[in-house]
Amino acid sequence: MTQAILREIIDYANRANPYPLYEELRKTPVSHDGDGPYVVSTYYEIQSLLHDPRISSDAKNLKATGDDPLGQGQGEEEGATLPPSFLKLDPPDHDRLRRMTNRPFGPPHAPHRVHDMREELGGLVSGLIDGIATTGNLDRVDLVDQFAYPFPVSVICRLLGVPHEDEPRFHVWAETLAASLDPDPDADPAQQGKGAMDARMELGMYLAGLIEERRKNPGDDMLSQLATADGPDGSMTTMEVLSTSALLLIAGHETTVNLITNGMLTLLRHPDVLQRLREDPALSVPIVEELLRYEPPVQLLPQRSTLTEIEVAGVTIPKGASLWLILASGNRDPKRFENPDRFDPDRKDIQHLGLGSGIHSCFGAPLARLEAQLALSELARRLENPRLLEDPPPYRQNAVLRGPRHLTISCDGVRP
Amino acid sequence: MSGDGSLEHLKREGRIVVVGASLAGLRAAETMREKGFTGSLTMIGDEPYEPYDRPPLSKQVLLGKATADRTALPRRRDIDAKWRLGVPASGLDMAARRVRLADGDEVEYDRLLIATGVRARPWPNEAEGALDGVFVLRTRDDGARLERALAAGPRRVLVIGAGFTGSEIASACRERDLPVTVAERGAAPLVGALGGVIGEVAAQMHQEHGVDLRTGVMVTGLEGDPSGRVRAAHLSDGATVEADVVVVSLGAQRNTEWLAGSGLGAGPRGIACDAGCRAFNIWGIVTDDIYVAGDVARSPHALFGYQFLSLEHWGNAVAQAETAAHNMLSEGMDRRPHVWIPAFWSSQFGVNIKSVGVPPMGTEIQVTQGSLAERRFAAVYGYQGRMIAAVTFDNCRWLPFYEHQIETTAPFPPPFSTVDRRPEGHKPMPADFPDPSVPTHGPTITLSGYSPADRTMTFTPARH
């Protein structure tokens, strides 16, 4: 019996509430069995590994164990036609690509990019909620399909400069690629890898076409800026633009959906907080922060490896070992947070791991925060007496990017 | 003292006086209230302003992006204090437990916290220092005045001293497209704080950004025009620099003169205290009612061989204030030591510089990540086979790792490989700190011996 821990983490039966399992895991900060990865579940250990330069994000540094049943090291990128995105690279390549990607996205060169999208995002949110109102059937609203999914998808498409009418095609590729991040011990890795590779290929070819077009007629979207930029780091190769924009698309797609859905689910389970948010939209800021701790959309990071033998919490981890950092477990570590299982937006000390930490900390964090804040405060304000019809709701398969597949509610009306 | 209820009495209705109304004083006061101190609290400060933040003064303020009067420190809580602002303390009567103020008033205390910090070291020639156009940078008023002078578009700025403040000023000048000359007594900028290897990187930064950097020279005199405006400076190598703004950036002096004759162990190197922030008297005996925190304090640090460290670091001021406040309201085993790991940051020429540990203790340095040539790296300092400090240029996200290594006395050179290790980082090299017996202008960290009796180290620029 090897890798019992992994099976439990991946087990769909734990999806709706993985926290008791995490509590169990934390009794051993570093768990390991069979030839599986070293699973790290406690806050301080995860936090320090995220800043540890002896840890690599590059799959090349994993010691290939021929019989690795999880297909570690052959996730979405391996063997595909696109080079790995910066998420799966180490410095200096990671730093260079991330820096170049940041130039059109954030400070110091683009300090207003996210802020300036506020009005546009507000418009998208209003439009989607108006849509809920006009569908007529308020007895049965799926907040995922009708709101939490289409919103971030539209945002990332606008940010990148992807035409609105192409969104459905993206949807399919993104879903396949996100699913490929989910380690499934029972799936045929070759098959899973093939599906992801095909989706990545198609996505790449589609993006290549767009980039070609943007090089001729650049706009102020990020795709144009990535394709035409020529800064102190030089410019990106076409392949780099492709893998970077594919990364932004997937990461900007599948995570915010879950943040918003987990957020509404949590608020519906805490009606007092929902009521406070309705009265004070500014409360959305601490609410989103606490959500990132309490129900993080990225539950674990399964792709780190050791460059050298290291000791963590008394356990010697050999060189080339695979590490899984269970962020969601660290976020509920009672050694770090008082009453960690309590959802408390008034929490003062909230240095959570929900967006990672260190050089790979979430690139899109400012945008994700803004999207979730706007979405939750508007839903709270406009939905009249919303009620959860199914608790727990049905979850997606994915243990890494965890979130409900549907969030069915009813409400009495939609305020203007 | 213990167990007789006096501590409870102190917490309930004692009198606590804080001298120094800046970062350390404010954070200490907040901590005391947080811990349930309900007695009377008096905050004494020589400046007329409520506590404000200094780091922006040499950065955003000089760039005109923030104004000096908008850097008030955020308050953690209401401290319900009597404020005596704009009145410096002028003396201390330890026996009678009284602080004398410059306006003749006296304030009695049961517990005293001294957080009087440091001030800019003035130009040693008073007449030259008084010339119009000669500045120092330490206070809010200094920042506002210097910003106005830069905004007026001087033909050339001369910065004397290339420590952190001097380098940040030079960087701000270049960002404003002002011609600037930097005169540095050491072999390179930042050499006192980070050593010659890193100093060389800093020198390249100055040069690539168009700073006229002169190292290994001293300014021997400033010259004014008949109207009393500065117009030129003379250097020890015989050169003359024509400048209409001169910023004297020669480090800091501790504000301890007001304690002269009080019997407290206070001198030019600060006020010696134990690891619990209790001040020593001149016999080296610890007091139990006088505490010190922030830039003016010197306390022994167990991790660094119990050396008395005196740190002009923002984070140290906060942490030491919190520890001092805690200990002022505790007794016996409840007291805790100030074992903060020294850390500081700077921002200059678009590069974020951060450091942990005590670099000047290091004898060797090794670049563990990135590259000096790219000015994006992490380097660690070695001292007798252990890691004693680390510095990053545009690479600060790795710093917590190195901090932990230093805390756990990890070996040097580091026996492990890291991401982004380049060929140049495969072996240590001499860290190249200047001979400590030769003063540079103002190392950010100054170390001294075990005894509270001071070795003096005074900066004396050569005269004509």
Side-chain angles (χ1 to χ4, degrees), chain A residues 168-202:
Chain A
R169 298 167 69 192
F170 268 86
H171 186 148
V172 179
W173 295 322
E175 194 132 279
T176 312
L177 289 172
S180 77
L181 288 176
D182 190 33
D184 179 356
D186 299 319
D188 173 2
Q191 199 57 44
Q192 206 185 9
K194 171 95 172 57
M197 209 167 103
D198 290 347
R200 218 171 132 74
M201 264 292 266
E202 286 175 45

Side-chain angles (χ1 to χ4, degrees), chain B residues 43-91:
Chain B
M43 305 285 296
I44 298 167
D46 61 346
E47 287 184 73
Y49 310 116
E50 292 204 0
Y52 59 86
D53 212 14
R54 295 180 200 278
L57 295 178
S58 57
K59 304 175 180 78
Q60 294 91 328
V61 170
L62 287 195
L63 292 172
K65 290 181 180 168
T67 57
D69 57 354
R70 296 288 292 278
T71 70
L73 278 165
R75 299 292 181 88
R76 289 182 181 170
R77 56 174 295 132
D78 183 25
I79 58 169
D80 184 23
K82 285 176 220 151
W83 292 87
R84 302 293 304 262
L85 296 175
V87 194
S90 59

Side-chain angles (χ1 to χ4, degrees), chain B residues 5 7 42 64 84 90 129 165 177 193 224 228 256 266 327 343 345 359 391 426 435:
Chain B
L7 181 66
T42 306
R84 302 293 304 262
S90 59
T165 306
D177 210 20
T256 54
N327 290 343
W345 82 95
V391 60
H426 284 292
D435 179 348

Side-chain angles (χ1 to χ4, degrees), chain A residues 106-156:
Chain A
H109 302 289
H112 299 295
R113 165 77 78 179
V114 172
H115 181 266
D116 289 352
M117 289 183 77
R118 181 176 272 273
E119 201 172 325
E120 193 176 358
L121 300 190
L124 286 169
V125 168
S126 304
L128 287 166
I129 299 179
D130 291 345
I132 293 174
T134 52
T135 54
N137 185 9
L138 295 180
D139 293 335
R140 202 169 174 80
V141 177
D142 180 1
L143 279 180
V144 176
D145 284 349
Q146 291 178 254
F147 185 86
Y149 197 87
F151 174 47
V153 173
S154 303
V155 175
I156 195 69

